[in-house]
Amino acid sequence: MSLIRFRIDGREAAAEPGTTLWEAARRLSIDIPTLCHRVPYEPVTSCMICVVEDVATGRLLPACSMPAAEGMNIATDSAAVREARKAALELLLSEHVGDCEAPCRRACPAYMDIPQMNRQIARGRPEAALATIRRDIALPAVLGRICPAPCEKACHRRAADGAVHICHLKRFAADADLASSSPFRPDCRPPSGKKVAILGAGPAGLSAAYYLQIAGHGCRIFDRHPLPGGALRYGVPPEALDRSVLDAEIGRILALGALFHGERTLGQNLTCRELLESFDAIVLAMGSTEMSVLDGLGVEVRENRVVVARGGHETGRPGIYAGGNMIGEGKMAIRAAAHGKAMAAAIDRSWHPREESAESVRRFHSVIGRLQQGEPEQFLQEAIADGPLAPPGGFSQGYPDEMAAREAARCYQCDCRKKDCCLLRIYAGEYGSQPRRFKYGRRRSVRIVLEHPRISHEPGKCIRCGLCVRIAKAHEEEIGLAFVGRGFDMRVEAPFGESLDRALVKCARECAESCPTAALAFRERLEK
Amino acid sequence: MEDLNQEVDRIVAGIGSAPSDVIAILHAIQKRYHYLPEEALRRVCRTTRIRPADMAGVSRFYTQFRHSPVGRHMIRICNGTACHVKGAERVFESFHRELGLEGSEDTDRDGQFTLQKVACLGCCTLAPVVQIDQVTYGHVQPESVHGILHEFLHRPAGHGPPHGAPAEDPGGHGEIKIGLGSCCIAGGGEKVREELVRCLQESEAHPRVKRVGCVGICHRTPLIEIHPEKGPSVLYDRVRPEEVAGIVRRHYPPLSLPRRWKNRAVHYMERLLGDSGSAPDCRPPMDVRDPAVDAFLGRQEHIATEHLGQMDPLDMQDYLDHEGFRALRRALGEMAPEEVAECIRRSGLRGRGGAGFPTGEKWRVVRGSADPVRYVICNGDEGDPGAFMDRMILESYPFRVIEGMILAAYAVGAREGFFYIRAEYPLAVARVREAIRLCRQEGWLGENILGSGFSLDLAIREGAGAFVCGEETALIASVEGKRGTPRFRPPYPAHQGLWGHPTAVNNCETLAVVPWIIRNGAESFRTHGTEKSRGSKVFSLAGKIVRGGLIEVPLGITIREIVEDIGGGMEPGRRFKAVQIGGPSGGCLPAEMADTRVDYEELTGAGAMMGSGGLLVMDDTDCMVDIARYFLDFTCHQSCGKCTFCRIGTQHMLEILEDLCAGRAHRDDLQKLEEIARNTRQGSLCGLGKTAPNPVLTTLAYFRGEYEAHLRGKCPAGRCKALIRYSINGSCIGCTLCAQRCPADAIPIEPYRRHHIRQERCTKCDICREVCPAGAVEVG
């Protein structure tokens, strides 16, 4: 049989008759996104994310089902295609009921994975929790004492019987580590040979040093005070923050190889020229300072703030970064610490653009918003019902082990089970979808069905692609799954009110793996 | 339980146990139990190859299937377009009130009635229409609901079914034709026929009483046409049962003197006792040369509806006498299959279902397939609210459509074919079923038809309430016993259709035209219509016009000619505002565009669509935002839910339109509405989704000012409930009628004084305005 000849993204292609555009593109290593199609199942043309443009007519065609035709000229990533995909994703998101990340994590300036920390503490593994914390927060014992905890204000449980004491749980894990005979040691990359000067040893500077050292870059921290800590030492009163805790945590950072130089003030006993000549990058994290001393660095200053790239930390001058109060974003220590981490990541990226950054990147979010009546009960299936627990000696003393585990088990765990692999989230991020663009009317309710011992079912996250229905049919499940109803109210259910564990006897695992969102997922959450 | 199992097993044994039988099985179970008991469905799964997942998917896809018990009687409120513009919503609310229902309850406390909104019943000229079980009520007003329920519960028993054996033997006294299409029956035609038979028995005259198909003059039903043995025929319109006796006496005087005396005496007494002012004896006939009738029929060209109102739908001899099966004889005797397809191709006939694909071309593709197994399907799933052409054609010309099917099957080489008819058309289903039986009996269907060596059998598949099944790939899925979801084309059904075999799917009007073309030749068909749109098209004309009904007009006629010449223009005092063409896939064209010619290309160019041929006329009291909302409500509920754009896009468009009608919309909502509409048009999988935005986009294009008024909280047409208020002006005579009838106690009784409406209680049911003798109730 003769081959059909056509073009995809300007490249010549040939395929047997009946080959779909999706298959043909894949053979050319052109990845066309799709939510509803999965080999080896028959394509059904449901999600419409896979549309491509027929250049001759301007028509958009679903690549998963459209067979290639002689002489076709297909564009898989034109402006019209991107716009249509974005719109399809936005429509799907408009009825998607689920938080990609828990609201506490979204509210955390350091974007710390709080639900995972809670789960680890609840399972009696504070050392694992600390590793989770330290991925985003370099000074957890310190912040566990002084953080105003925006995370707790966002907690879904706050409106019910009180937020989870996230900040104290963080302190619990950090204190346990400080007291441990075998404390947490991050894996540092081999030395890169690059040198970074950090001006200011407050939360921003210290955090930057911590993450730069992990990335293999040598740091020198300069501060006008004799001891490191900045505002943490010279601003926060000792009764709020025990200096021994501060010293211990700073000690952990310096132990990674960063060098501290006290009583070095830019413009007095430290010159711009010296910095520019001796270092590959400079971090400006001095908090409030006289801006004129920066003149020699060539960074732009406006209204007593260093001007940086929007949403970032790069100044106009390559290799120089600024954060914390120097770019003017309030006084919260956690925010300064987050800036330090972000500057470290930006510097590392500038040198190793291809390498995956260790930083947790703030990504696309689908958001439920305020919980409605009856919804807390859904989450309570996986959380203990107790109200907030207070340590017996008061909050100044911290939680004992057993109690910390119970408090952590109060967490609703509202982060998505597939936050790292949900295709809807990945594509929504890729196409710049605005999740609220088409939100109308009342949203559907959160439902978490835990009938199956290993699989969770969250109907509000279903995009009606029917992959699970097809998989169950292909495996000849006796009961299986069906689409019931139609149109906007169509949903996937086991027939005759049967439960999921009876409906999926043979292929539950494949369904959970194949579901493009977390509508079907493994109940067990994997640690990152 | 034992009983139920036996009953279910009996049903399955009678129908079959293949997966494709599932819809028929569900219909039968529902017929038996009035709903689908879960135990019955489980039993079917245990005893057949139908899987539980497929059973659940199918039974919950089609809206005709009910999963909870219902009252003893079903009240169906037609939600078609014509009924909508004539106030179906208020009628629904009135029933809701009368039955004492609250919220989303649908069955009254005694379990007597279940109230349901249903898709178009296809009696648009009688709007608003309500069906209680098998009894249809036309022109229902909120006011009359109480009376209807009373009349229904006290109706005399023993109304025969509206179909059955053909007419009685001729008795040598000429013939009386009575139209018995669904509209006529809904208009009381069956009662008139019974009365006619009764009176004729008394008169000792024996004219043949002949039931004929739809006459098309639906706005004047029921119709009786009397053909005396000698002399011209006489037509009576809007005949009431009590007038029948007078009509019969006029034409067939009683022969025997004593009986004549007796009859006179009885009628004299009746007149003395009755309070009717109009004497039934003096009922004047309708002048056949009545200028109105002339205008209505004058511009029409009857091809699909040839011999309109002349034939008994199920009398085979009658059909043969009217050139029936002559085309088939000719094709089987003189023409090769390719010649039949070629003749249709040359005629320029295009599919009458909406998209207008050349029929002969489709047949040529199927014919050319290497696959020897091929099918023909007649698409009778006319689901557009406001369209009833297919119903009328199937009810009135079942033999003609069958002949068209046989010709199609012969042309493409199919040995098997299916009628897919929507379940809302029971009369059409019954007549086609009987016609197929008669055709088999007479050798027009079966093995070796007319000794030609060509064999064909036809079967019926009933729909179950899904508009999307009018889309050919969804229709095929439904025939296969699946959820009626469309699939992407290509492959087109002409290449891979039913069970993967090449299939010619044609609309029933298309098939009804085929015999005419074969008989008269492609060239004579080409003399009708325009260059690109040949022939004629049947439209159901309804809405705010003087004369509604079923019309067949040459393509290329202008909208103005249809509305003004055939439809007789607006009702007095009203202004022609717009026409809606093509139902939920079509668009609203403003009066200024009335010179648009009705052909495939011109309508599409204007943003509307031929669709299957619904034509609804609107006047200045109709709100265009409300109409757009109405259609989106329809498509949103009919969307199969498969593809993202249609499933979610239609829902969001509906939500925005509902906000507009309720005065809750924001300025940027108009832009969003347009954005979603364009995305849905571009990205949807099938025709339903691709055309669903048309009502929105056309009204936005032609009536944007009305949308903007709604943003300001005003409904210029006075239609959107949330944006209007009722008040009583100085013409009030203090008769208290409004106060007595107000169901919400919103009007205090104040005899001889000007009444006033307590706005906080008013439900805007419109009853006060209807009952006010002084015209004192204002809406603003």
Side-chain angles (χ1 to χ4, degrees):
Chain A
M1 203 179 280
S2 64
L3 294 182
I4 288 170
R5 301 194 174 275
F6 53 102
R7 296 168 76 83
I8 300 183
D9 290 344
R11 291 161 63 184
E12 296 291 342
E16 313 76 69
T19 308
T20 66
L21 294 172
W22 191 83
E23 288 167 333
R26 216 156 74 128
R27 288 181 205 161
L28 296 175
S29 301
I30 296 170
D31 188 27
I32 297 176
T34 174
L35 297 174
C36 64
H37 179 42
R38 190 175 169 100
V39 180
Y41 301 100
E42 279 290 298
V44 294
T45 332
S46 157
C47 73
M48 294 292 170
I49 307 296
C50 70
V51 287
V52 293
E53 186 177 345
D54 179 344
V55 177
T57 61
R59 275 183 65 206
L60 297 183
L61 305 165
C64 72
S65 302
M66 182 70 198
E70 188 66 37
M72 255 184 176
N73 186 7
I74 295 296
T76 69
D77 203 36
S78 64
V81 164
R82 293 191 68 87
E83 186 48 47
R85 287 182 189 159
K86 176 170 176 278
L89 290 162
E90 282 165 343
L91 287 173
L92 287 173
L93 290 164
S94 71
E95 57 146 10
H96 193 71
V97 191
D99 287 321
C100 293
E101 299 289 352
C104 52
R105 183 178 195 188
R106 291 199 311 269
C108 174
Y111 200 54
M112 199 255 278
D113 192 345
I114 294 166
Q116 175 160 300
M117 172 192 81
N118 288 342
R119 282 190 284 272
Q120 288 163 329
I121 294 176
R123 287 177 198 147
R125 297 176 55 214
E127 70 297 335
L130 187 85
T132 301
I133 298 168
R134 281 205 169 263
R135 203 154 39 231
D136 297 298
I137 297 178
L139 298 159
V142 170
L143 285 163
R145 286 167 168 79
I146 62 161
C147 188
C151 51
E152 293 178 20
K153 295 192 178 65
C155 177
H156 272 324
R157 195 153 182 176
R158 183 164 176 245
D161 57 355
V164 176
H165 285 303
I166 298 165
C167 196
H168 282 284
L169 290 171
K170 177 174 63 189
R171 168 182 163 173
F172 162 79
D175 285 358
D177 184 64
L178 289 180
S180 166
S181 54
S182 56
F184 174 78
R185 277 192 70 86
D187 292 331
C188 294
R189 292 210 179 127
S192 65
K194 299 279 187 188
K195 287 195 298 180
V196 183
I198 297 172
L199 277 64
L206 289 169
S207 296
Y210 178 78
Y211 292 105
L212 284 166
Q213 287 293 148
I214 290 175
H217 312 306
C219 298
R220 289 177 175 229
I221 312 170
F222 302 93
D223 197 282
R224 63 192 165 106
H225 293 292
L227 293 173
L232 299 173
R233 186 181 299 276
Y234 300 101
V236 179
E239 54 276 20
L241 177 60
D242 195 320
R243 292 302 183 254
S244 66
V245 172
L246 179 63
D247 289 340
E249 246 175 10
I250 293 173
R252 290 286 166 81
I253 294 170
L254 299 181
L256 297 180
L259 296 173
F260 176 71
H261 303 275
E263 297 182 312
R264 296 290 297 272
T265 308
L266 189 63
Q268 292 174 17
N269 55 1
L270 183 66
T271 66
C272 294
R273 206 174 135 190
E274 193 183 340
L275 291 173
L276 291 170
E277 281 175 359
S278 317
F279 293 94
D280 301 297
I282 300 168
V283 169
L284 303 175
M286 297 100 95
S288 48
T289 185
E290 177 53 53
M291 288 292 170
S292 62
V293 301
L294 300 176
D295 287 353
L297 291 178
V299 298
E300 194 187 341
V301 175
R302 210 183 294 149
E303 291 173 8
N304 222 31
R305 307 261 189 252
V306 177
V307 178
V308 288
R310 191 184 176 85
H313 297 276
E314 294 85 353
T315 65
R317 177 89 189 239
I320 301 183
Y321 300 78
N325 284 356
M326 301 210 70
I327 60 171
E329 296 222 5
K331 287 205 185 312
M332 258 196 305
I334 184 68
R335 193 173 292 277
H339 284 186
K341 182 183 68 166
M343 286 188 282
I347 291 168
D348 188 51
R349 262 202 311 275
S350 73
W351 292 330
H352 305 283
R354 259 167 249 214
E355 268 181 55
E356 204 179 296
S357 163
E359 178 202 30
S360 311
V361 184
R362 200 171 276 271
R363 303 195 322 197
F364 171 87
H365 290 135
S366 163
V367 175
I368 297 182
R370 193 187 302 272
L371 293 192
Q372 295 168 355
Q373 203 180 7
E375 291 181 334
E377 286 75 6
Q378 295 294 311
F379 291 106
L380 276 177
Q381 298 178 90
E382 295 181 281
I384 61 170
D386 306 22
L389 301 171
F395 279 108
S396 62
Q397 296 303 306
Y399 280 116
D401 288 11
E402 172 58 18
M403 191 175 268
R406 285 191 68 74
E407 177 65 19
R410 293 184 62 237
C411 175
Y412 278 172
Q413 305 185 56
C414 25
D415 57 333
C416 180
R417 282 182 164 83
K418 284 196 182 164
K419 58 186 173 184
D420 297 315
C421 59
C422 167
L423 291 178
L424 180 59
R425 184 181 193 193
I426 291 170
Y427 292 141
E430 210 170 304
Y431 290 93
S433 301
Q434 301 158 27
R436 304 199 66 80
R437 179 154 160 239
F438 294 135
K439 286 251 197 247
Y440 290 99
R442 282 196 51 205
R443 72 163 169 84
R444 300 176 199 269
S445 295
V446 174
R447 258 183 70 218
I448 304 170
V449 183
L450 300 174
E451 296 164 340
H452 193 284
R454 289 186 311 282
I455 308 291
S456 58
H457 176 35
E458 295 184 54
K461 293 180 177 171
C462 177
I463 60 160
R464 321 301 197 275
C465 70
L467 252 178
C468 52
V469 177
R470 280 176 279 158
I471 291 171
K473 184 158 188 162
H475 283 79
E476 298 183 331
E477 286 279 9
E478 182 148 345
I479 293 172
L481 296 173
F483 276 126
V484 300
R486 67 181 190 210
F488 190 67
D489 296 322
M490 182 177 79
R491 59 202 182 276
V492 172
E493 266 179 22
F496 304 136
E498 292 282 4
S499 61
L500 203 63
D501 55 325
R502 293 199 6 97
L504 298 181
V505 176
K506 302 174 188 168
C507 61
R509 184 186 177 81
E510 189 181 340
C511 288
E513 277 167 357
S514 306
C515 178
T517 69
L520 288 175
F522 294 108
R523 285 174 68 163
E524 183 75 21
R525 292 168 190 261
L526 299 177
E527 283 175 22
K528 206 162 88 176
Chain B
M1 185 66 78
E2 206 49 33
D3 289 354
L4 181 136
N5 284 349
Q6 280 175 9
E7 194 66 28
V8 169
D9 293 351
R10 194 185 55 74
I11 287 170
V12 170
I15 293 172
S17 61
S20 60
D21 294 321
V22 63
I23 295 176
I25 292 173
L26 292 173
H27 272 306
I29 293 175
Q30 180 151 300
K31 194 168 175 199
R32 169 68 182 75
Y33 296 101
H34 305 295
Y35 78 108
L36 299 175
E38 190 181 297
E39 252 332 294
L41 303 189
R42 284 177 184 269
R43 176 74 183 175
V44 173
C45 292
R46 278 198 297 274
T47 57
T48 65
R49 284 175 288 134
I50 300 164
R51 296 165 64 248
D54 294 332
M55 172 64 83
V58 170
S59 70
R60 294 195 181 260
F61 180 83
Y62 299 95
T63 51
Q64 289 254 317
F65 296 133
R66 301 184 58 106
H67 292 78
S68 50
V70 290
R72 289 188 291 284
H73 306 290
M74 289 295 295
I75 304 177
R76 297 183 180 84
I77 313 288
C78 176
N79 203 25
T81 322
C83 292
H84 173 75
V85 299
K86 293 213 169 164
E89 187 62 34
R90 284 178 175 139
V91 172
F92 178 85
E93 284 166 8
S94 186
F95 272 102
H96 199 264
R97 245 189 339 261
E98 190 67 31
L99 296 174
L101 303 178
E102 275 171 29
S104 58
E105 280 179 353
D106 63 354
T107 303
D108 64 356
R109 250 144 252 161
D110 308 332
Q112 188 158 41
F113 291 105
T114 293
L115 183 63
Q116 194 184 20
K117 273 186 201 171
V118 293
C120 187
L121 293 169
C123 304
C124 308
T125 50
L126 303 174
V129 174
V130 172
Q131 224 175 39
I132 308 183
D133 292 347
Q134 301 301 317
V135 186
T136 307
Y137 297 87
H139 302 300
V140 178
Q141 293 304 310
E143 252 301 272
S144 51
V145 164
H146 179 81
I148 286 175
L149 286 176
H150 183 82
E151 189 198 306
F152 176 79
L153 290 175
H154 298 90
R155 73 197 184 284
H159 272 293
H163 50 85
E168 304 82 275
D169 292 332
H173 294 97
E175 190 172 71
I176 300 180
K177 287 182 182 146
I178 173 155
L180 283 180
S182 281
C183 293
C184 299
I185 292 172
E190 192 61 32
K191 275 188 202 159
V192 170
R193 192 189 67 85
E194 282 167 18
E195 185 64 13
L196 189 64
V197 171
R198 194 187 65 77
C199 294
L200 285 171
Q201 275 164 3
E202 281 192 3
S203 77
E204 295 174 9
H206 301 289
R208 167 182 148 116
V209 176
K210 180 174 171 182
R211 167 192 52 187
V212 296
C214 179
V215 187
I217 314 177
C218 309
H219 62 289
R220 288 190 163 180
T221 60
L223 290 157
I224 294 183
E225 193 175 357
I226 296 188
H227 295 263
E229 264 177 302
K230 298 180 194 99
S233 63
V234 185
L235 185 66
Y236 292 88
D237 65 337
R238 286 184 179 149
V239 180
R240 287 173 291 160
E242 61 269 26
E243 295 170 340
V244 170
I247 294 171
V248 168
R249 261 197 312 283
R250 176 190 300 238
H251 294 278
Y252 302 100
L255 299 177
S256 73
L257 209 55
R259 184 158 302 172
R260 201 168 173 173
W261 280 100
K262 185 187 145 216
N263 278 354
R264 278 231 173 125
V266 167
H267 286 284
Y268 181 69
M269 290 303 287
E270 274 177 1
R271 275 166 68 186
L272 279 182
L273 295 171
D275 58 357
S276 94
S278 68
D281 276 51
C282 309
R283 176 68 157 82
M286 182 173 164
D287 189 341
V288 188
R289 282 180 318 253
D290 176 343
V293 175
D294 231 25
F296 185 80
L297 295 172
R299 287 288 284 137
Q300 300 197 40
E301 290 176 10
H302 301 290
I303 295 177
T305 60
E306 202 185 8
H307 308 304
L308 181 87
Q310 298 302 310
M311 293 187 293
D312 181 322
L314 287 176
D315 187 336
M316 170 93 61
Q317 190 55 49
D318 209 2
Y319 183 59
L320 293 170
D321 292 345
H322 289 90
E323 300 181 276
F325 290 122
R326 274 198 21 213
L328 184 61
R329 260 184 213 288
R330 178 159 174 217
L332 293 184
E334 306 165 18
M335 297 167 83
E338 291 78 8
E339 287 176 74
V340 175
E342 177 57 19
C343 174
I344 298 301
R345 198 194 60 74
R346 259 188 303 117
S347 74
L349 174 64
R350 296 170 65 173
R352 299 301 193 229
F357 190 82
T359 306
E361 188 58 31
K362 190 184 279 185
W363 291 3
R364 199 184 54 77
V365 172
V366 178
R367 176 88 219 164
S369 165
D371 188 341
V373 180
R374 299 162 205 164
Y375 296 101
V376 287
I377 293 180
C378 169
N379 184 347
D381 191 56
E382 170 180 66
D384 304 33
F388 52 95
M389 301 78 49
D390 293 355
R391 173 179 65 67
M392 182 282 282
I393 287 173
L394 291 170
E395 283 175 0
S396 305
Y397 312 100
F399 290 123
R400 185 174 295 162
V401 184
I402 290 172
E403 188 179 358
M405 278 281 265
I406 305 172
L407 288 164
Y410 178 67
V412 305
R415 291 182 47 101
E416 217 182 324
F418 294 92
F419 275 91
Y420 189 88
I421 306 174
R422 67 193 290 248
E424 289 87 343
Y425 291 170
L427 184 58
V429 171
R431 288 201 179 149
V432 172
R433 180 164 287 139
E434 176 65 8
I436 290 177
R437 193 188 67 78
L438 292 170
C439 285
R440 271 195 211 119
Q441 192 178 299
E442 302 292 322
W444 298 105
L445 282 173
E447 292 297 315
N448 193 15
I449 299 168
L450 295 184
S452 64
F454 171 69
S455 306
L456 175 72
D457 203 6
L458 297 177
I460 297 181
R461 290 284 181 275
E462 273 182 71
F467 170 66
V468 70
C469 287
E471 198 278 346
E472 56 180 3
T473 59
L475 185 152
I476 286 170
S478 188
V479 172
E480 292 174 357
K482 300 175 186 158
R483 291 168 62 85
T485 48
R487 62 157 175 80
F488 182 71
R489 299 178 306 184
Y492 285 88
H495 291 109
Q496 276 177 48
L498 191 59
W499 293 300
H501 299 292
T503 304
V505 183
N506 292 111
N507 165 269
C508 38
E509 185 184 335
T510 314
L511 292 169
V513 172
V514 165
W516 191 98
I517 297 174
I518 300 294
R519 232 171 35 233
N520 298 285
E523 290 315 312
S524 49
F525 187 74
R526 289 174 69 84
T527 60
H528 299 262
T530 65
E531 178 69 32
K532 282 188 169 172
S533 303
R534 301 286 182 186
S536 59
K537 173 84 188 84
V538 184
F539 287 93
S540 42
L541 180 61
K544 305 296 181 62
I545 28 151
V546 174
R547 298 187 290 266
L550 216 117
I551 60 171
E552 182 167 2
V553 290
L555 288 166
I557 191 171
T558 65
I559 291 171
R560 190 184 308 286
E561 287 171 289
I562 294 179
V563 172
E564 291 180 1
D565 299 349
I566 299 177
M570 298 299 105
E571 280 156 24
R574 296 266 72 101
R575 184 176 56 78
F576 173 34
K577 182 171 179 181
V579 285
Q580 210 287 339
I581 294 193
S585 315
C588 288
L589 302 184
E592 301 82 74
M593 290 177 75
D595 291 319
T596 304
R597 287 147 71 86
V598 176
D599 70 24
Y600 292 95
E601 277 72 24
E602 271 213 38
L603 287 181
T604 306
M609 197 183 167
M610 185 81 81
S612 60
L615 219 153
L616 185 89
V617 184
M618 288 173 284
D619 66 19
D620 51 339
T621 62
D622 290 310
C623 168
M624 293 296 127
V625 183
D626 176 67
I627 278 291
R629 185 198 60 75
Y630 167 81
F631 280 114
L632 259 298
D633 186 65
F634 177 82
T635 35
C636 185
H637 287 99
Q638 296 299 333
S639 164
C640 80
K642 181 171 178 176
C643 76
T644 301
F645 284 103
C646 178
R647 178 170 68 86
I648 310 176
T650 53
Q651 168 77 16
H652 287 336
M653 284 190 274
L654 174 62
E655 280 163 0
I656 296 177
L657 289 163
E658 281 174 344
D659 281 353
L660 280 160
C661 291
R664 292 189 300 255
H666 301 290
R667 182 139 283 279
D668 56 347
D669 282 350
L670 283 196
Q671 195 204 328
K672 279 195 181 165
L673 180 63
E674 214 161 348
E675 241 175 85
I676 300 173
R678 290 189 194 291
N679 279 319
T680 305
R681 181 165 71 179
Q682 178 187 262
S684 293
L685 171 62
C686 81
L688 184 146
K690 282 184 191 300
T691 58
N694 284 348
V696 175
L697 290 168
T698 49
T699 47
L700 268 171
Y702 301 129
F703 301 95
R704 201 175 183 97
E706 257 183 87
Y707 278 88
E708 280 164 0
H710 282 70
L711 284 176
R712 296 189 302 270
K714 292 264 179 297
C715 176
R719 183 94 197 173
C720 294
K721 269 190 171 186
L723 308 180
I724 54 170
R725 62 196 291 275
Y726 281 75
S727 57
I728 298 173
N729 65 24
S731 322
C732 176
I733 52 174
C735 71
T736 76
L737 209 51
C738 59
Q740 291 177 48
R741 298 310 248 297
C742 176
D745 277 339
I747 310 176
I749 297 185
E750 293 168 279
Y752 306 114
R753 292 174 57 192
R754 176 173 165 182
H755 283 56
H756 69 278
I757 297 173
R758 293 164 65 179
Q759 296 297 331
E760 71 281 5
R761 290 199 167 187
C762 175
T763 59
K764 294 159 189 169
C765 69
D766 205 43
I767 289 179
C768 53
R769 197 181 57 81
E770 267 175 53
V771 298
C772 178
V777 179
E778 284 180 350
V779 184

